[in-house]
Amino acid sequence: MRKSRVGLACGLVVIVIVFSLGLSAFIFTSGQYMPKTSDYSDYELAVHPPISDYVYPLANYSLVRSGTIIELFDRVGVAKFESGIEFYQGVTNISHTDSFGYFEIHETPSTVVEFEACQDNGMIFELAEGTGAIRNGDAIIVGSQDASGEFVMIGAATAAIGDGKVLFDVPTGSRVIFRADPSQDYAVGGAIAGGHVAAEMYLIDAISFIGEDVVSFDDVELYTVMASEEAVQIQAVGTANNKAIVLHINQPYLDYDSVEDIEVQLDGEEITLGMGMTETLTESGEEAVYFASKTDAGFDVIVYIPEYSDSVITIASVETDIGIDGFATLLAAIGIVGVAVVALIKTD
């Protein structure tokens, strides 16, 4: 069973403010809709949302692309929602937890909106004018000529489209995830819609600590073991098979000039370069492969893993010996001490 921070939130009515990697503090206490703008999205939230057939905590949800606001959803509603519980601000997310479910908005280029039901529930996304929705296999594609995204249903969640709305039945433990496509990222969105991606991570510099934003599309969780200008190490824990993970690693991490400067290892063994981005995203073979691209923000690295357990992904210079001894030497060289990182690397 998936035991992410989302799943663990179910059943918690009291929110604890944790000053750690997920630094949080309440930001909305008013009964009115309050505007919230990030580099990638623009929307309004309500702690005491209006109630009709649904409760509507989110309104006027728009994407921001190259400074242009693109309207997507007029309102987003939840059938069962505890009014009056604050939304909490994290490094890259805003979230609400009550006895009915966990509601989260990710302020990353993928601008994910996700909901997990702690009790049988329902959701409604009211489409803005000019926005449409169509089925694509087990997913739903939504968007306009200016932007697009995917709805992915996890567990027993089901969807219906009609009359400018997308409605979801979300049984206990099921999830609904909306992910928007960054302008250069259609291949990833298509692979997610096709069920080829286990999880996606954004790794950012949060000044005093490493900031990470993870969305899981299967039974896989990603954790940052360490990150520096020289190397990044990610642990992938789960039971999914034959799926890729997508890592968006922002500067200053991996301070290299090109993809030729880095190599990728899985559990201490170097893995080969895939044929291309789409091919790596949709790979289904018995050998792990990767694909990397240089972006304005840093590197995007896609790693296909045929069998997940407690896999450890290491990305570093091609000139670095990243075996057990080599990685320990690297950690010492960059001043990271007292961290039980090497213990996480498989030796079998």
Side-chain angles (χ1 to χ4, degrees), residues 276-326:
M277 175 183 286
T278 301
E279 290 82 358
T280 304
L281 284 164
T282 57
E283 177 65 60
S284 59
E286 296 181 358
E287 299 294 328
V289 296
Y290 81 96
F291 181 83
S293 58
K294 192 79 170 69
T295 69
D296 291 340
F299 284 93
D300 284 352
V301 181
I302 299 162
V303 182
Y304 165 76
I305 302 176
E307 184 176 355
Y308 287 79
S309 54
D310 291 337
S311 305
V312 177
I313 299 160
T314 304
I315 308 165
S317 167
V318 294
E319 298 177 354
T320 303
D321 177 6
I322 325 178
I324 298 296
D325 295 335

Side-chain angles (χ1 to χ4, degrees), residues 136-141 149-153 179 181 186-197 217:
N136 180 22
D138 294 331
I140 292 175
I141 307 300
E150 302 79 34
F151 283 111
V152 179
M153 290 153 279
R179 179 195 184 274
D181 294 316
Y186 295 114
V188 174
I192 290 171
H196 299 290
V197 176
F217 303 100

Side-chain angles (χ1 to χ4, degrees), residues 16 66 80 93 127 149 207 209 219 240 277 335:
V16 178
S66 301
K80 300 174 183 177
N93 73 317
L127 305 179
I207 303 176
F209 52 85
D219 182 24
M277 175 183 286

Side-chain angles (χ1 to χ4, degrees), residues 29-302:
T29 56
S30 169
Q32 299 179 344
Y33 280 102
M34 300 291 290
K36 185 72 174 70
T37 300
S38 74
D39 291 338
Y40 313 107
S41 56
D42 184 279
Y43 53 91
E44 298 174 8
L45 286 171
V47 168
H48 296 282
I51 302 173
S52 53
D53 50 343
Y54 285 83
V55 183
Y56 292 93
L58 179 60
N60 298 320
Y61 186 84
S62 302
L63 306 181
V64 178
R65 296 291 182 263
S66 301
T68 301
I69 294 178
I70 303 169
E71 296 180 355
L72 201 61
F73 306 123
D74 285 338
R75 294 191 300 179
V76 177
V78 182
K80 300 174 183 177
F81 185 92
E82 290 189 39
S83 180
I85 296 178
E86 294 90 348
F87 285 85
Y88 284 74
Q89 174 76 66
V91 176
T92 58
N93 73 317
I94 292 178
S95 63
H96 165 103
T97 305
D98 61 38
S99 62
F100 295 118
Y102 181 88
F103 189 93
E104 183 173 14
I105 303 162
H106 298 256
E107 296 185 333
T108 64
S110 301
T111 55
V112 167
V113 176
E114 64 175 316
F115 177 79
E116 179 168 346
C118 299
Q119 303 179 31
D120 290 353
N121 215 323
M123 288 195 78
I124 183 171
F125 287 75
E126 299 180 358
L127 305 179
E129 184 177 355
T131 301
I134 59 172
R135 287 192 176 274
N136 180 22
D138 294 331
I140 292 175
I141 307 300
V142 63
S144 64
Q145 63 181 0
D146 298 315
S148 66
E150 302 79 34
F151 283 111
V152 179
M153 290 153 279
I154 312 296
T158 57
I161 304 171
D163 193 26
K165 303 178 180 67
V166 183
L167 297 100
F168 296 91
D169 180 57
V170 195
T172 303
S174 299
R175 290 191 295 149
V176 171
I177 300 173
F178 169 75
R179 179 195 184 274
D181 294 316
S183 58
Q184 77 282 7
D185 197 15
Y186 295 114
V188 174
I192 290 171
H196 299 290
V197 176
E200 182 175 27
M201 169 187 276
Y202 283 89
L203 189 63
I204 65 171
D205 179 20
I207 303 176
S208 59
F209 52 85
I210 299 169
E212 59 179 26
D213 186 286
V214 179
V215 178
S216 297
F217 303 100
D218 205 320
D219 182 24
V220 171
E221 295 295 328
L222 303 179
Y223 305 94
T224 305
V225 177
M226 62 83 62
S228 73
E229 294 181 355
E230 287 79 14
V232 165
Q233 190 171 60
I234 305 294
Q235 187 172 29
V237 179
T239 59
N241 293 325
N242 302 109
K243 291 193 175 185
I245 63 170
V246 179
L247 306 174
H248 307 281
I249 302 171
N250 289 4
Q251 298 172 343
Y253 307 124
L254 296 182
D255 186 21
Y256 299 109
D257 294 331
S258 71
V259 294
E260 286 77 18
D261 295 327
I262 63 173
E263 73 171 28
V264 179
Q265 291 193 1
L266 180 65
D267 297 331
E269 297 292 332
E270 183 180 353
I271 61 176
T272 59
L273 183 65
M275 297 295 292
M277 175 183 286
T278 301
E279 290 82 358
T280 304
L281 284 164
T282 57
E283 177 65 60
S284 59
E286 296 181 358
E287 299 294 328
V289 296
Y290 81 96
F291 181 83
S293 58
K294 192 79 170 69
T295 69
D296 291 340
F299 284 93
D300 284 352
V301 181
I302 299 162

